[in-house]
Amino acid sequence: MSMQNKPVVALTLGDAAGIGPELIARLLSQPGITAQANIVLLGDPWLWQDGQAIARQTVATQAVSSLMEVGTRPDQSLPAFLAVDTIRPDQVQRSQAQAACGNAVLQVLDLCMDGAKRGEVDAICFAPLNKQAMKLGGLKHEDELHHFAEYLGVTGYFCEFNTLGDLWTARVSSHIPLKDAASMLSRERIVDATRLIYRSLQASGNPSPKVAVAAFNPHGGDGGVCGREEIDIIEPAVRELRASGFPVDGPFPADTIFLKARDGQYQAIVTMYHDQGQIAIKLMGFSKGVTVQGGLPVPITTPAHGTAYDIAGQGVADVNATHNAFRIACRMGAARLHS
Protein backbone atom coordinates (compact mmCIF):
# COMPACT_ATOMS: atom_id res chain seq x y z
CA MET A 1 0.00 0.00 0.00
CA SER A 2 0.96 3.61 -0.48
CA MET A 3 2.65 5.36 2.45
CA GLN A 4 0.74 8.57 1.71
CA ASN A 5 -2.37 10.05 3.28
CA LYS A 6 -4.26 9.92 -0.02
CA PRO A 7 -4.89 6.73 -1.99
CA VAL A 8 -3.10 6.14 -5.27
CA VAL A 9 -5.82 5.86 -7.93
CA ALA A 10 -4.87 4.59 -11.38
CA LEU A 11 -6.85 6.00 -14.33
CA THR A 12 -7.01 4.62 -17.85
CA LEU A 13 -8.12 6.16 -21.15
CA GLY A 14 -10.36 3.26 -22.15
CA ASP A 15 -11.10 2.22 -25.73
CA ALA A 16 -9.15 4.44 -28.12
CA ALA A 17 -12.05 4.52 -30.61
CA GLY A 18 -14.58 5.73 -28.04
CA ILE A 19 -15.17 8.67 -25.71
CA GLY A 20 -12.80 7.54 -22.93
CA PRO A 21 -9.82 9.81 -23.67
CA GLU A 22 -12.12 12.84 -23.86
CA LEU A 23 -13.80 11.91 -20.57
CA ILE A 24 -10.50 11.60 -18.71
CA ALA A 25 -9.39 15.00 -20.04
CA ARG A 26 -12.63 16.53 -18.79
CA LEU A 27 -12.30 14.79 -15.43
CA LEU A 28 -8.72 15.90 -14.80
CA SER A 29 -9.47 19.48 -15.82
CA GLN A 30 -12.00 19.87 -12.99
CA PRO A 31 -10.95 21.74 -9.84
CA GLY A 32 -10.26 19.77 -6.68
CA ILE A 33 -9.63 16.44 -8.37
CA THR A 34 -6.10 15.94 -7.03
CA ALA A 35 -7.28 16.72 -3.49
CA GLN A 36 -9.05 13.34 -3.45
CA ALA A 37 -6.19 11.07 -4.50
CA ASN A 38 -2.69 10.80 -5.87
CA ILE A 39 -3.65 10.14 -9.47
CA VAL A 40 -1.64 8.23 -12.04
CA LEU A 41 -2.89 8.13 -15.60
CA LEU A 42 -1.65 5.24 -17.74
CA GLY A 43 -1.92 5.74 -21.48
CA ASP A 44 -0.32 6.19 -24.87
CA PRO A 45 0.93 9.79 -25.14
CA TRP A 46 -0.64 10.41 -28.56
CA LEU A 47 -4.01 9.16 -27.31
CA TRP A 48 -3.86 11.39 -24.24
CA GLN A 49 -3.11 14.38 -26.46
CA ASP A 50 -6.01 13.42 -28.70
CA GLY A 51 -8.38 13.24 -25.74
CA GLN A 52 -7.37 16.71 -24.55
CA ALA A 53 -7.83 18.12 -28.04
CA ILE A 54 -11.33 16.66 -28.36
CA ALA A 55 -12.30 17.94 -24.90
CA ARG A 56 -10.66 21.30 -25.64
CA GLN A 57 -8.76 21.04 -22.36
CA THR A 58 -5.07 21.19 -21.53
CA VAL A 59 -4.16 19.19 -18.44
CA ALA A 60 -0.79 19.56 -16.74
CA THR A 61 0.73 16.28 -15.53
CA GLN A 62 3.97 15.01 -14.01
CA ALA A 63 5.80 12.31 -15.96
CA VAL A 64 6.70 9.18 -14.01
CA SER A 65 8.59 6.10 -15.09
CA SER A 66 6.77 3.59 -12.89
CA LEU A 67 3.78 3.15 -10.60
CA MET A 68 6.20 2.74 -7.70
CA GLU A 69 7.39 6.30 -8.25
CA VAL A 70 3.88 7.64 -7.56
CA GLY A 71 3.63 5.84 -4.24
CA THR A 72 6.96 7.11 -2.96
CA ARG A 73 6.31 10.79 -3.71
CA PRO A 74 4.73 13.21 -1.26
CA ASP A 75 1.05 13.94 -1.89
CA GLN A 76 1.11 15.41 -5.37
CA SER A 77 -0.65 18.50 -6.71
CA LEU A 78 -0.66 17.30 -10.33
CA PRO A 79 -1.76 13.98 -11.82
CA ALA A 80 1.13 11.70 -12.73
CA PHE A 81 1.33 10.36 -16.27
CA LEU A 82 2.86 6.96 -16.97
CA ALA A 83 3.43 6.65 -20.71
CA VAL A 84 2.83 3.24 -22.31
CA ASP A 85 3.07 2.00 -25.88
CA THR A 86 0.07 -0.19 -26.66
CA ILE A 87 -1.45 1.14 -29.89
CA ARG A 88 -0.57 3.37 -32.85
CA PRO A 89 -2.83 6.06 -34.33
CA ASP A 90 -2.98 4.21 -37.67
CA GLN A 91 -4.50 1.19 -35.87
CA VAL A 92 -7.56 3.15 -34.70
CA GLN A 93 -10.68 3.79 -36.73
CA ARG A 94 -12.83 5.99 -34.53
CA SER A 95 -16.28 4.70 -33.56
CA GLN A 96 -15.61 1.05 -34.42
CA ALA A 97 -14.90 -2.03 -32.31
CA GLN A 98 -11.38 -3.17 -33.24
CA ALA A 99 -8.99 -5.85 -32.03
CA ALA A 100 -6.11 -3.41 -31.59
CA CYS A 101 -8.19 -1.19 -29.30
CA GLY A 102 -9.38 -4.12 -27.23
CA ASN A 103 -5.87 -5.51 -26.87
CA ALA A 104 -4.53 -2.10 -25.81
CA VAL A 105 -7.24 -1.85 -23.13
CA LEU A 106 -6.26 -5.26 -21.77
CA GLN A 107 -2.58 -4.33 -21.64
CA VAL A 108 -3.22 -1.15 -19.65
CA LEU A 109 -5.67 -2.78 -17.24
CA ASP A 110 -3.20 -5.58 -16.58
CA LEU A 111 -0.50 -3.01 -15.78
CA CYS A 112 -2.86 -1.39 -13.28
CA MET A 113 -3.61 -4.72 -11.65
CA ASP A 114 0.10 -5.56 -11.49
CA GLY A 115 0.55 -2.32 -9.57
CA ALA A 116 -2.27 -3.23 -7.23
CA LYS A 117 -0.74 -6.65 -6.57
CA ARG A 118 2.56 -4.98 -5.68
CA GLY A 119 0.80 -2.55 -3.33
CA GLU A 120 1.50 0.49 -5.52
CA VAL A 121 -2.13 1.19 -6.47
CA ASP A 122 -5.04 1.48 -4.02
CA ALA A 123 -7.87 1.71 -6.57
CA ILE A 124 -8.44 1.65 -10.33
CA CYS A 125 -10.90 3.72 -12.36
CA PHE A 126 -11.08 2.88 -16.05
CA ALA A 127 -12.71 4.83 -18.87
CA PRO A 128 -15.30 3.00 -20.99
CA LEU A 129 -14.25 -0.11 -22.86
CA ASN A 130 -15.99 -2.26 -25.45
CA LYS A 131 -16.46 -5.96 -24.78
CA GLN A 132 -16.58 -6.89 -28.48
CA ALA A 133 -13.29 -5.09 -29.10
CA MET A 134 -11.73 -6.74 -26.07
CA LYS A 135 -12.80 -10.20 -27.22
CA LEU A 136 -11.40 -9.46 -30.66
CA GLY A 137 -8.22 -8.35 -28.89
CA GLY A 138 -7.77 -11.45 -26.77
CA LEU A 139 -10.24 -11.37 -23.85
CA LYS A 140 -10.93 -15.02 -22.96
CA HIS A 141 -13.79 -14.37 -20.52
CA GLU A 142 -17.42 -13.30 -20.79
CA ASP A 143 -16.54 -9.84 -19.46
CA GLU A 144 -13.78 -7.77 -17.89
CA LEU A 145 -14.85 -8.65 -14.32
CA HIS A 146 -14.06 -12.33 -14.85
CA HIS A 147 -10.72 -11.33 -16.37
CA PHE A 148 -9.95 -9.19 -13.31
CA ALA A 149 -10.92 -11.99 -10.95
CA GLU A 150 -8.68 -14.55 -12.66
CA TYR A 151 -5.77 -12.13 -13.01
CA LEU A 152 -5.98 -11.18 -9.33
CA GLY A 153 -6.40 -14.77 -8.14
CA VAL A 154 -9.88 -14.34 -6.68
CA THR A 155 -11.38 -17.58 -5.42
CA GLY A 156 -14.40 -16.23 -3.51
CA TYR A 157 -17.66 -14.76 -4.75
CA PHE A 158 -17.51 -11.68 -6.98
CA CYS A 159 -20.11 -9.75 -8.96
CA GLU A 160 -20.70 -6.44 -10.69
CA PHE A 161 -22.47 -3.60 -8.86
CA ASN A 162 -24.23 -0.74 -10.56
CA THR A 163 -24.72 2.45 -8.58
CA LEU A 164 -26.67 5.66 -8.89
CA GLY A 165 -25.95 8.13 -6.13
CA ASP A 166 -26.67 6.38 -2.83
CA LEU A 167 -28.39 3.39 -4.49
CA TRP A 168 -26.34 0.30 -5.38
CA THR A 169 -27.49 -2.86 -7.16
CA ALA A 170 -25.97 -6.32 -7.39
CA ARG A 171 -27.06 -9.20 -9.60
CA VAL A 172 -26.96 -12.94 -9.14
CA SER A 173 -26.31 -13.58 -12.84
CA SER A 174 -24.79 -11.15 -15.29
CA HIS A 175 -23.57 -11.41 -18.90
CA ILE A 176 -25.29 -14.64 -19.89
CA PRO A 177 -28.27 -15.43 -22.15
CA LEU A 178 -31.57 -14.68 -20.41
CA LYS A 179 -32.71 -18.27 -20.96
CA ASP A 180 -29.91 -19.37 -18.59
CA ALA A 181 -30.71 -16.92 -15.77
CA ALA A 182 -32.98 -19.30 -13.83
CA SER A 183 -30.28 -21.97 -13.74
CA MET A 184 -27.92 -19.50 -12.04
CA LEU A 185 -30.23 -18.90 -9.08
CA SER A 186 -29.19 -20.51 -5.81
CA ARG A 187 -29.53 -19.73 -2.14
CA GLU A 188 -25.75 -19.56 -1.82
CA ARG A 189 -25.32 -17.07 -4.68
CA ILE A 190 -28.05 -14.78 -3.33
CA VAL A 191 -26.53 -14.88 0.16
CA ASP A 192 -23.05 -14.19 -1.21
CA ALA A 193 -24.23 -11.31 -3.44
CA THR A 194 -26.10 -9.70 -0.56
CA ARG A 195 -23.23 -9.96 1.90
CA LEU A 196 -20.82 -8.60 -0.69
CA ILE A 197 -22.87 -5.53 -1.61
CA TYR A 198 -23.55 -4.78 2.05
CA ARG A 199 -19.85 -4.85 2.93
CA SER A 200 -18.88 -2.94 -0.21
CA LEU A 201 -21.32 -0.16 0.65
CA GLN A 202 -19.74 0.03 4.09
CA ALA A 203 -16.30 0.32 2.45
CA SER A 204 -17.62 3.17 0.30
CA GLY A 205 -18.73 5.16 3.35
CA ASN A 206 -22.24 3.93 4.26
CA PRO A 207 -21.95 2.31 7.71
CA SER A 208 -25.40 0.68 7.86
CA PRO A 209 -27.09 0.22 4.46
CA LYS A 210 -30.49 -1.46 4.14
CA VAL A 211 -30.74 -4.10 1.44
CA ALA A 212 -33.75 -5.33 -0.55
CA VAL A 213 -33.81 -8.57 -2.52
CA ALA A 214 -35.79 -8.69 -5.76
CA ALA A 215 -38.02 -11.55 -6.80
CA PHE A 216 -37.35 -13.46 -10.01
CA ASN A 217 -40.82 -14.03 -11.43
CA PRO A 218 -43.62 -11.57 -12.29
CA HIS A 219 -45.54 -10.47 -9.19
CA GLY A 220 -43.03 -12.31 -7.03
CA GLY A 221 -44.33 -15.64 -8.30
CA ASP A 222 -47.92 -15.09 -7.08
CA GLY A 223 -47.54 -17.73 -4.37
CA GLY A 224 -46.12 -20.29 -6.77
CA VAL A 225 -48.66 -19.83 -9.56
CA CYS A 226 -46.11 -17.89 -11.65
CA GLY A 227 -42.98 -19.76 -10.60
CA ARG A 228 -41.50 -21.27 -7.42
CA GLU A 229 -38.06 -19.65 -7.34
CA GLU A 230 -39.21 -17.22 -4.65
CA ILE A 231 -40.54 -20.01 -2.41
CA ASP A 232 -37.77 -22.54 -2.98
CA ILE A 233 -34.68 -20.34 -3.32
CA ILE A 234 -35.03 -16.61 -2.66
CA GLU A 235 -37.10 -16.60 0.54
CA PRO A 236 -34.80 -19.17 2.25
CA ALA A 237 -31.80 -17.01 1.32
CA VAL A 238 -33.42 -13.92 2.86
CA ARG A 239 -34.23 -15.85 6.03
CA GLU A 240 -30.62 -17.03 6.30
CA LEU A 241 -29.33 -13.49 5.88
CA ARG A 242 -31.69 -12.06 8.47
CA ALA A 243 -30.74 -14.82 10.91
CA SER A 244 -27.10 -13.78 10.41
CA GLY A 245 -27.90 -10.18 11.34
CA PHE A 246 -28.01 -8.54 7.91
CA PRO A 247 -30.70 -5.84 7.46
CA VAL A 248 -32.33 -7.50 4.45
CA ASP A 249 -35.94 -7.55 3.25
CA GLY A 250 -37.67 -9.34 0.39
CA PRO A 251 -38.22 -10.81 -2.04
CA PHE A 252 -40.07 -7.87 -3.62
CA PRO A 253 -41.57 -7.83 -7.13
CA ALA A 254 -38.92 -6.30 -9.37
CA ASP A 255 -41.36 -3.84 -10.96
CA THR A 256 -42.00 -2.05 -7.64
CA ILE A 257 -38.91 -2.39 -5.47
CA PHE A 258 -37.08 0.43 -7.23
CA LEU A 259 -39.85 2.82 -6.19
CA LYS A 260 -39.09 2.07 -2.54
CA ALA A 261 -35.37 2.47 -3.16
CA ARG A 262 -35.90 5.73 -5.05
CA ASP A 263 -37.74 7.05 -1.99
CA GLY A 264 -34.82 6.17 0.29
CA GLN A 265 -36.14 3.05 2.03
CA TYR A 266 -33.25 0.93 0.73
CA GLN A 267 -29.68 1.69 -0.30
CA ALA A 268 -29.06 -1.59 -2.15
CA ILE A 269 -31.07 -4.01 -4.25
CA VAL A 270 -29.95 -7.53 -5.09
CA THR A 271 -31.44 -8.41 -8.48
CA MET A 272 -31.61 -11.85 -10.03
CA TYR A 273 -30.36 -11.08 -13.56
CA HIS A 274 -28.74 -8.32 -15.61
CA ASP A 275 -31.59 -6.28 -17.07
CA GLN A 276 -33.75 -6.52 -13.96
CA GLY A 277 -31.61 -3.87 -12.32
CA GLN A 278 -29.89 -2.25 -15.28
CA ILE A 279 -33.06 -0.98 -16.95
CA ALA A 280 -34.21 0.73 -13.77
CA ILE A 281 -30.83 2.25 -12.90
CA LYS A 282 -30.19 3.55 -16.41
CA LEU A 283 -33.69 4.97 -16.70
CA MET A 284 -33.27 6.83 -13.41
CA GLY A 285 -29.87 8.28 -14.30
CA PHE A 286 -28.05 7.03 -17.39
CA SER A 287 -25.49 9.84 -17.40
CA LYS A 288 -24.62 9.41 -13.70
CA GLY A 289 -24.37 5.67 -13.07
CA VAL A 290 -21.22 3.80 -12.02
CA THR A 291 -20.17 0.17 -12.25
CA VAL A 292 -18.16 -1.20 -9.31
CA GLN A 293 -16.37 -4.53 -9.68
CA GLY A 294 -17.31 -6.25 -6.42
CA GLY A 295 -15.39 -8.92 -4.56
CA LEU A 296 -11.91 -8.07 -5.86
CA PRO A 297 -8.90 -7.32 -3.62
CA VAL A 298 -8.60 -3.83 -5.15
CA PRO A 299 -11.52 -1.43 -5.83
CA ILE A 300 -12.18 -1.07 -9.56
CA THR A 301 -14.80 1.34 -10.92
CA THR A 302 -15.97 2.68 -14.28
CA PRO A 303 -18.85 4.75 -15.64
CA ALA A 304 -21.83 2.48 -16.28
CA HIS A 305 -22.33 3.69 -19.84
CA GLY A 306 -20.27 2.40 -22.73
CA THR A 307 -17.86 3.77 -25.31
CA ALA A 308 -20.59 5.80 -27.07
CA TYR A 309 -19.12 5.24 -30.51
CA ASP A 310 -21.93 7.33 -31.99
CA ILE A 311 -20.57 10.55 -30.43
CA ALA A 312 -16.85 9.70 -30.21
CA GLY A 313 -14.62 12.55 -31.34
CA GLN A 314 -17.38 15.17 -31.24
CA GLY A 315 -16.40 16.79 -27.92
CA VAL A 316 -19.86 16.38 -26.37
CA ALA A 317 -19.38 13.46 -23.94
CA ASP A 318 -20.88 13.93 -20.45
CA VAL A 319 -18.30 13.49 -17.67
CA ASN A 320 -20.74 13.05 -14.76
CA ALA A 321 -20.60 9.25 -14.58
CA THR A 322 -16.82 9.24 -14.90
CA HIS A 323 -16.55 11.78 -12.09
CA ASN A 324 -18.83 9.63 -9.92
CA ALA A 325 -16.76 6.52 -10.70
CA PHE A 326 -13.60 8.37 -9.74
CA ARG A 327 -15.08 9.54 -6.43
CA ILE A 328 -16.16 6.03 -5.49
CA ALA A 329 -12.70 4.72 -6.37
CA CYS A 330 -11.17 7.39 -4.12
CA ARG A 331 -13.45 6.52 -1.18
CA MET A 332 -12.92 2.80 -1.48
CA GLY A 333 -9.21 3.24 -2.13
CA ALA A 334 -8.89 5.37 1.00
CA ALA A 335 -10.72 2.73 3.03
CA ARG A 336 -8.35 0.07 1.68
CA LEU A 337 -5.30 2.27 2.30
CA HIS A 338 -6.18 2.91 5.93
CA SER A 339 -7.54 -0.55 6.78
Side-chain angles (χ1 to χ4, degrees), residues 114-320:
D114 288 340
K117 288 195 286 188
R118 294 191 300 265
E120 298 164 359
V121 169
D122 301 305
I124 300 166
C125 178
F126 63 89
L129 47 76
N130 182 277
K131 290 179 177 59
Q132 180 186 0
M134 291 177 70
K135 288 180 180 178
L136 291 171
L139 179 67
K140 304 300 184 186
H141 301 279
E142 64 190 59
D143 54 31
E144 65 274 15
L145 173 58
H146 286 76
H147 174 71
F148 296 154
E150 181 179 284
Y151 200 94
L152 294 169
V154 174
T155 57
Y157 185 81
F158 57 90
C159 72
E160 195 171 86
F161 304 140
N162 284 96
T163 80
L164 182 64
D166 294 331
L167 175 61
W168 288 39
T169 65
R171 48 187 184 256
V172 174
S173 66
S174 190
H175 299 113
I176 61 170
L178 184 57
K179 66 181 177 63
D180 298 331
S183 67
M184 295 295 291
L185 293 184
S186 71
R187 180 184 56 79
E188 293 79 11
R189 288 177 64 84
I190 295 167
V191 167
D192 287 343
T194 305
R195 287 174 172 164
L196 182 57
I197 198 169
Y198 180 84
R199 289 167 178 156
S200 297
L201 266 166
Q202 287 183 315
S204 76
N206 187 335
S208 55
K210 290 192 65 178
V211 184
V213 175
F216 179 71
N217 294 296
H219 307 161
D222 273 341
V225 174
C226 198
R228 290 192 55 87
E229 282 82 3
E230 288 75 21
I231 296 169
D232 296 337
I233 300 171
I234 306 174
E235 289 175 1
V238 171
R239 288 196 297 269
E240 179 180 336
L241 287 158
R242 291 176 67 87
S244 300
F246 287 88
V248 178
D249 295 326
F252 296 102
D255 59 357
T256 58
I257 184 53
F258 278 89
L259 299 175
K260 297 178 185 291
R262 180 198 63 187
D263 295 339
Q265 294 183 45
Y266 297 97
Q267 290 73 56
I269 300 175
V270 177
T271 63
M272 297 298 111
Y273 57 90
H274 183 278
D275 284 5
Q276 197 177 52
Q278 284 288 76
I279 291 172
I281 284 286
K282 291 189 176 182
L283 182 62
M284 294 193 316
F286 181 77
S287 65
K288 301 176 183 177
V290 175
T291 298
V292 179
Q293 313 291 338
L296 306 181
V298 58
I300 303 180
T301 69
T302 189
H305 59 70
T307 47
Y309 285 153
D310 57 323
I311 61 169
Q314 298 178 25
V316 297
D318 189 328
V319 76
N320 279 341

Side-chain angles (χ1 to χ4, degrees), residues 13-157:
L13 297 171
D15 188 297
I19 60 173
E22 172 191 350
L23 289 174
I24 298 302
R26 291 191 189 283
L27 173 70
L28 294 183
S29 67
Q30 295 184 348
I33 288 294
T34 55
Q36 302 175 57
N38 286 321
I39 300 166
V40 55
L41 173 62
L42 293 82
D44 291 75
W46 75 266
L47 185 58
W48 174 224
Q49 292 299 321
D50 189 57
Q52 293 175 80
I54 294 169
R56 295 182 292 278
Q57 301 288 343
T58 300
V59 180
T61 61
Q62 306 174 69
V64 293
S65 59
S66 69
L67 290 172
M68 181 185 298
E69 188 178 339
V70 181
T72 56
R73 287 185 172 193
D75 287 345
Q76 57 197 39
S77 59
L78 292 176
F81 182 72
L82 178 57
V84 297
D85 182 15
T86 66
I87 191 168
R88 301 187 311 272
D90 61 9
Q91 293 178 290
V92 179
Q93 180 66 43
R94 200 181 306 275
S95 304
Q96 294 183 18
Q98 299 144 86
C101 295
N103 182 262
V105 163
L106 284 168
Q107 290 184 60
V108 175
L109 289 172
D110 289 354
L111 287 172
C112 292
M113 289 189 290
D114 288 340
K117 288 195 286 188
R118 294 191 300 265
E120 298 164 359
V121 169
D122 301 305
I124 300 166
C125 178
F126 63 89
L129 47 76
N130 182 277
K131 290 179 177 59
Q132 180 186 0
M134 291 177 70
K135 288 180 180 178
L136 291 171
L139 179 67
K140 304 300 184 186
H141 301 279
E142 64 190 59
D143 54 31
E144 65 274 15
L145 173 58
H146 286 76
H147 174 71
F148 296 154
E150 181 179 284
Y151 200 94
L152 294 169
V154 174
T155 57
Y157 185 81

